[in-house]
Structure formats: structure tokens, C-alpha cells
PDB file of all heavy atoms in Angstrom:
ATOM      1  N   VAL A   1      -0.227  15.318  13.673  1.00  0.00           N
ATOM      2  CA  VAL A   1      -0.281  15.414  15.099  1.00  0.00           C
ATOM      3  C   VAL A   1       1.056  15.968  15.669  1.00  0.00           C
ATOM      4  O   VAL A   1       2.048  16.170  14.919  1.00  0.00           O
ATOM      5  CB  VAL A   1      -0.470  14.016  15.848  1.00  0.00           C
ATOM      6  CG1 VAL A   1      -1.887  13.580  15.345  1.00  0.00           C
ATOM      7  CG2 VAL A   1       0.569  13.110  15.490  1.00  0.00           C
ATOM      8  N   SER A   2       1.155  16.372  16.969  1.00  0.00           N
ATOM      9  CA  SER A   2       2.333  17.177  17.399  1.00  0.00           C
ATOM     10  C   SER A   2       3.205  16.211  18.411  1.00  0.00           C
ATOM     11  O   SER A   2       4.355  16.723  18.757  1.00  0.00           O
ATOM     12  CB  SER A   2       1.841  18.340  18.300  1.00  0.00           C
ATOM     13  OG  SER A   2       1.129  17.912  19.399  1.00  0.00           O
ATOM     14  N   SER A   3       2.821  14.886  18.496  1.00  0.00           N
ATOM     15  CA  SER A   3       3.701  14.168  19.452  1.00  0.00           C
ATOM     16  C   SER A   3       3.506  12.587  19.097  1.00  0.00           C
ATOM     17  O   SER A   3       2.559  12.196  18.521  1.00  0.00           O
ATOM     18  CB  SER A   3       3.250  14.321  20.907  1.00  0.00           C
ATOM     19  OG  SER A   3       1.958  13.788  21.149  1.00  0.00           O
ATOM     20  N   VAL A   4       4.545  11.881  19.576  1.00  0.00           N
ATOM     21  CA  VAL A   4       4.564  10.488  19.286  1.00  0.00           C
ATOM     22  C   VAL A   4       3.405   9.879  20.057  1.00  0.00           C
ATOM     23  O   VAL A   4       2.624   8.864  19.602  1.00  0.00           O
ATOM     24  CB  VAL A   4       5.821   9.837  19.796  1.00  0.00           C
ATOM     25  CG1 VAL A   4       5.781   8.315  19.837  1.00  0.00           C
ATOM     26  CG2 VAL A   4       7.011  10.334  19.015  1.00  0.00           C
ATOM     27  N   GLN A   5       3.080  10.337  21.195  1.00  0.00           N
ATOM     28  CA  GLN A   5       2.047   9.853  22.081  1.00  0.00           C
ATOM     29  C   GLN A   5       0.644  10.034  21.474  1.00  0.00           C
ATOM     30  O   GLN A   5      -0.120   9.115  21.245  1.00  0.00           O
ATOM     31  CB  GLN A   5       1.987  10.610  23.453  1.00  0.00           C
ATOM     32  CG  GLN A   5       0.895  10.019  24.295  1.00  0.00           C
ATOM     33  CD  GLN A   5       0.936  10.733  25.630  1.00  0.00           C
ATOM     34  OE1 GLN A   5       1.533  11.711  25.896  1.00  0.00           O
ATOM     35  NE2 GLN A   5       0.006  10.269  26.623  1.00  0.00           N
ATOM     36  N   SER A   6       0.448  11.181  20.793  1.00  0.00           N
ATOM     37  CA  SER A   6      -0.753  11.344  19.975  1.00  0.00           C
ATOM     38  C   SER A   6      -0.915  10.424  18.833  1.00  0.00           C
ATOM     39  O   SER A   6      -1.871   9.876  18.552  1.00  0.00           O
ATOM     40  CB  SER A   6      -0.822  12.807  19.559  1.00  0.00           C
ATOM     41  OG  SER A   6      -0.990  13.729  20.736  1.00  0.00           O
ATOM     42  N   LEU A   7       0.260  10.300  18.145  1.00  0.00           N
ATOM     43  CA  LEU A   7       0.304   9.409  17.075  1.00  0.00           C
ATOM     44  C   LEU A   7      -0.145   8.050  17.285  1.00  0.00           C
ATOM     45  O   LEU A   7      -0.800   7.391  16.555  1.00  0.00           O
ATOM     46  CB  LEU A   7       1.791   9.454  16.297  1.00  0.00           C
ATOM     47  CG  LEU A   7       1.969   8.869  14.965  1.00  0.00           C
ATOM     48  CD1 LEU A   7       1.305   9.577  13.922  1.00  0.00           C
ATOM     49  CD2 LEU A   7       3.343   8.572  14.669  1.00  0.00           C
ATOM     50  N   MET A   8       0.396   7.423  18.357  1.00  0.00           N
ATOM     51  CA  MET A   8       0.325   6.060  18.786  1.00  0.00           C
ATOM     52  C   MET A   8      -1.107   5.706  19.358  1.00  0.00           C
ATOM     53  O   MET A   8      -1.262   4.666  19.708  1.00  0.00           O
ATOM     54  CB  MET A   8       1.394   5.526  19.668  1.00  0.00           C
ATOM     55  CG  MET A   8       2.741   5.683  18.944  1.00  0.00           C
ATOM     56  SD  MET A   8       2.874   4.484  17.531  1.00  0.00           S
ATOM     57  CE  MET A   8       4.416   4.900  16.891  1.00  0.00           C
ATOM     58  N   HIS A   9      -1.958   6.821  19.507  1.00  0.00           N
ATOM     59  CA  HIS A   9      -3.216   6.513  19.998  1.00  0.00           C
ATOM     60  C   HIS A   9      -4.082   5.606  19.077  1.00  0.00           C
ATOM     61  O   HIS A   9      -4.920   4.976  19.366  1.00  0.00           O
ATOM     62  CB  HIS A   9      -4.013   7.879  20.250  1.00  0.00           C
ATOM     63  CG  HIS A   9      -3.823   8.474  21.520  1.00  0.00           C
ATOM     64  ND1 HIS A   9      -3.748   7.840  22.693  1.00  0.00           N
ATOM     65  CD2 HIS A   9      -3.608   9.867  21.903  1.00  0.00           C
ATOM     66  CE1 HIS A   9      -3.592   8.571  23.668  1.00  0.00           C
ATOM     67  NE2 HIS A   9      -3.478   9.755  23.241  1.00  0.00           N
ATOM     68  N   ASN A  10      -3.663   5.699  17.720  1.00  0.00           N
ATOM     69  CA  ASN A  10      -4.133   4.874  16.599  1.00  0.00           C
ATOM     70  C   ASN A  10      -3.189   3.941  16.046  1.00  0.00           C
ATOM     71  O   ASN A  10      -1.941   4.269  16.174  1.00  0.00           O
ATOM     72  CB  ASN A  10      -4.938   5.812  15.662  1.00  0.00           C
ATOM     73  CG  ASN A  10      -6.060   6.637  16.242  1.00  0.00           C
ATOM     74  OD1 ASN A  10      -7.067   6.108  16.763  1.00  0.00           O
ATOM     75  ND2 ASN A  10      -5.926   8.038  16.165  1.00  0.00           N
ATOM     76  N   THR A  11      -3.665   3.206  15.238  1.00  0.00           N
ATOM     77  CA  THR A  11      -2.768   2.127  14.514  1.00  0.00           C
ATOM     78  C   THR A  11      -2.350   2.728  13.187  1.00  0.00           C
ATOM     79  O   THR A  11      -1.335   2.213  12.616  1.00  0.00           O
ATOM     80  CB  THR A  11      -3.396   0.864  14.329  1.00  0.00           C
ATOM     81  OG1 THR A  11      -4.628   0.989  13.556  1.00  0.00           O
ATOM     82  CG2 THR A  11      -3.824   0.231  15.677  1.00  0.00           C
ATOM     83  N   HIS A  12      -2.921   3.693  12.713  1.00  0.00           N
ATOM     84  CA  HIS A  12      -2.600   4.220  11.253  1.00  0.00           C
ATOM     85  C   HIS A  12      -3.406   5.554  11.064  1.00  0.00           C
ATOM     86  O   HIS A  12      -4.200   6.001  11.942  1.00  0.00           O
ATOM     87  CB  HIS A  12      -3.104   3.203  10.204  1.00  0.00           C
ATOM     88  CG  HIS A  12      -4.609   3.032  10.133  1.00  0.00           C
ATOM     89  ND1 HIS A  12      -5.210   2.206  10.947  1.00  0.00           N
ATOM     90  CD2 HIS A  12      -5.546   3.599   9.320  1.00  0.00           C
ATOM     91  CE1 HIS A  12      -6.601   2.254  10.707  1.00  0.00           C
ATOM     92  NE2 HIS A  12      -6.784   3.147   9.777  1.00  0.00           N
ATOM     93  N   GLY A  13      -3.023   6.233  10.013  1.00  0.00           N
ATOM     94  CA  GLY A  13      -3.765   7.413   9.566  1.00  0.00           C
ATOM     95  C   GLY A  13      -3.142   8.903  10.068  1.00  0.00           C
ATOM     96  O   GLY A  13      -3.806   9.781   9.577  1.00  0.00           O
ATOM     97  N   GLY A  14      -2.127   8.862  10.826  1.00  0.00           N
ATOM     98  CA  GLY A  14      -1.583  10.051  11.384  1.00  0.00           C
ATOM     99  C   GLY A  14      -0.258  10.433  10.662  1.00  0.00           C
ATOM    100  O   GLY A  14       0.300   9.667   9.840  1.00  0.00           O
ATOM    101  N   LEU A  15       0.050  11.720  10.737  1.00  0.00           N
ATOM    102  CA  LEU A  15       1.295  12.260  10.312  1.00  0.00           C
ATOM    103  C   LEU A  15       2.057  13.000  11.373  1.00  0.00           C
ATOM    104  O   LEU A  15       1.451  13.774  12.142  1.00  0.00           O
ATOM    105  CB  LEU A  15       0.941  13.301   9.181  1.00  0.00           C
ATOM    106  CG  LEU A  15       2.216  14.153   8.659  1.00  0.00           C
ATOM    107  CD1 LEU A  15       3.111  13.269   7.953  1.00  0.00           C
ATOM    108  CD2 LEU A  15       1.645  15.296   7.781  1.00  0.00           C
ATOM    109  N   LEU A  16       3.395  12.667  11.570  1.00  0.00           N
ATOM    110  CA  LEU A  16       4.151  13.371  12.505  1.00  0.00           C
ATOM    111  C   LEU A  16       5.411  13.907  11.960  1.00  0.00           C
ATOM    112  O   LEU A  16       6.221  13.186  11.197  1.00  0.00           O
ATOM    113  CB  LEU A  16       4.582  12.415  13.694  1.00  0.00           C
ATOM    114  CG  LEU A  16       5.498  13.011  14.780  1.00  0.00           C
ATOM    115  CD1 LEU A  16       4.735  14.021  15.617  1.00  0.00           C
ATOM    116  CD2 LEU A  16       5.921  11.906  15.792  1.00  0.00           C
ATOM    117  N   MET A  17       5.821  15.160  12.039  1.00  0.00           N
ATOM    118  CA  MET A  17       7.098  15.672  11.656  1.00  0.00           C
ATOM    119  C   MET A  17       8.127  15.524  12.821  1.00  0.00           C
ATOM    120  O   MET A  17       7.838  15.896  13.845  1.00  0.00           O
ATOM    121  CB  MET A  17       7.003  17.152  11.318  1.00  0.00           C
ATOM    122  CG  MET A  17       5.862  17.532  10.316  1.00  0.00           C
ATOM    123  SD  MET A  17       5.982  16.637   8.683  1.00  0.00           S
ATOM    124  CE  MET A  17       7.355  17.563   7.983  1.00  0.00           C
ATOM    125  N   LEU A  18       9.271  14.859  12.511  1.00  0.00           N
ATOM    126  CA  LEU A  18      10.127  14.438  13.573  1.00  0.00           C
ATOM    127  C   LEU A  18      11.554  14.967  13.196  1.00  0.00           C
ATOM    128  O   LEU A  18      12.034  14.699  12.243  1.00  0.00           O
ATOM    129  CB  LEU A  18      10.124  12.830  13.752  1.00  0.00           C
ATOM    130  CG  LEU A  18      10.984  12.163  14.935  1.00  0.00           C
ATOM    131  CD1 LEU A  18      10.375  12.709  16.221  1.00  0.00           C
ATOM    132  CD2 LEU A  18      11.030  10.740  14.614  1.00  0.00           C
ATOM    133  N   THR A  19      12.065  15.671  14.231  1.00  0.00           N
ATOM    134  CA  THR A  19      13.505  16.089  14.088  1.00  0.00           C
ATOM    135  C   THR A  19      14.357  15.121  15.042  1.00  0.00           C
ATOM    136  O   THR A  19      14.119  15.029  16.046  1.00  0.00           O
ATOM    137  CB  THR A  19      13.704  17.474  14.523  1.00  0.00           C
ATOM    138  OG1 THR A  19      12.765  18.360  13.801  1.00  0.00           O
ATOM    139  CG2 THR A  19      15.038  18.064  14.379  1.00  0.00           C
ATOM    140  N   LEU A  20      15.434  14.650  14.425  1.00  0.00           N
ATOM    141  CA  LEU A  20      16.341  13.703  15.077  1.00  0.00           C
ATOM    142  C   LEU A  20      17.445  14.447  15.558  1.00  0.00           C
ATOM    143  O   LEU A  20      17.859  15.465  15.086  1.00  0.00           O
ATOM    144  CB  LEU A  20      16.911  12.675  14.116  1.00  0.00           C
ATOM    145  CG  LEU A  20      15.766  11.737  13.412  1.00  0.00           C
ATOM    146  CD1 LEU A  20      16.433  10.790  12.414  1.00  0.00           C
ATOM    147  CD2 LEU A  20      14.907  11.060  14.420  1.00  0.00           C
ATOM    148  N   PRO A  21      18.025  14.022  16.760  1.00  0.00           N
ATOM    149  CA  PRO A  21      19.180  14.634  17.458  1.00  0.00           C
ATOM    150  C   PRO A  21      20.468  14.714  16.633  1.00  0.00           C
ATOM    151  O   PRO A  21      21.242  15.714  16.665  1.00  0.00           O
ATOM    152  CB  PRO A  21      19.335  13.899  18.708  1.00  0.00           C
ATOM    153  CG  PRO A  21      18.529  12.623  18.619  1.00  0.00           C
ATOM    154  CD  PRO A  21      17.547  12.827  17.525  1.00  0.00           C
ATOM    155  N   SER A  22      20.822  13.781  15.886  1.00  0.00           N
ATOM    156  CA  SER A  22      21.974  13.609  15.093  1.00  0.00           C
ATOM    157  C   SER A  22      21.914  14.215  13.638  1.00  0.00           C
ATOM    158  O   SER A  22      20.988  13.699  13.036  1.00  0.00           O
ATOM    159  CB  SER A  22      22.565  12.295  15.140  1.00  0.00           C
ATOM    160  OG  SER A  22      22.956  11.784  16.357  1.00  0.00           O
ATOM    161  N   LEU A  23      22.590  15.239  13.343  1.00  0.00           N
ATOM    162  CA  LEU A  23      22.513  15.762  11.933  1.00  0.00           C
ATOM    163  C   LEU A  23      23.699  15.312  11.152  1.00  0.00           C
ATOM    164  O   LEU A  23      24.685  15.849  11.152  1.00  0.00           O
ATOM    165  CB  LEU A  23      22.455  17.353  12.073  1.00  0.00           C
ATOM    166  CG  LEU A  23      21.318  17.926  12.912  1.00  0.00           C
ATOM    167  CD1 LEU A  23      21.601  19.413  12.981  1.00  0.00           C
ATOM    168  CD2 LEU A  23      19.955  17.485  12.386  1.00  0.00           C
ATOM    169  N   MET A  24      23.538  14.097  10.583  1.00  0.00           N
ATOM    170  CA  MET A  24      24.638  13.567   9.817  1.00  0.00           C
ATOM    171  C   MET A  24      24.276  13.726   8.347  1.00  0.00           C
ATOM    172  O   MET A  24      23.570  13.043   7.637  1.00  0.00           O
ATOM    173  CB  MET A  24      24.758  12.020  10.037  1.00  0.00           C
ATOM    174  CG  MET A  24      25.055  11.816  11.520  1.00  0.00           C
ATOM    175  SD  MET A  24      25.178   9.996  11.932  1.00  0.00           S
ATOM    176  CE  MET A  24      26.812   9.679  11.134  1.00  0.00           C
TER     177      MET A  24
END
């Protein structure tokens, strides 16, 4: 899925690629 909102429509079963703001 493309967003956190879409992911959280269900309790399990989705995949989200997430880029974090801090690159440590």
C-alpha cells in the first residue's frame, strides 16, 4: 500500500515502504 492510512484500514496483511526523515 502507499500510505499509513491505507495500511491501518486492516489489522494485518499489508506492506508499506517507509522513508524516515533522519538518515543516521
Side-chain angles (χ1 to χ4, degrees):
V1 299
S2 59
S3 70
V4 174
Q5 184 179 9
S6 297
L7 190 74
M8 294 300 177
H9 276 316
N10 298 299
T11 59
H12 64 280
L15 169 72
L16 177 68
M17 309 300 289
L18 184 66
T19 301
L20 300 178
S22 295
L23 302 178
M24 299 183 71

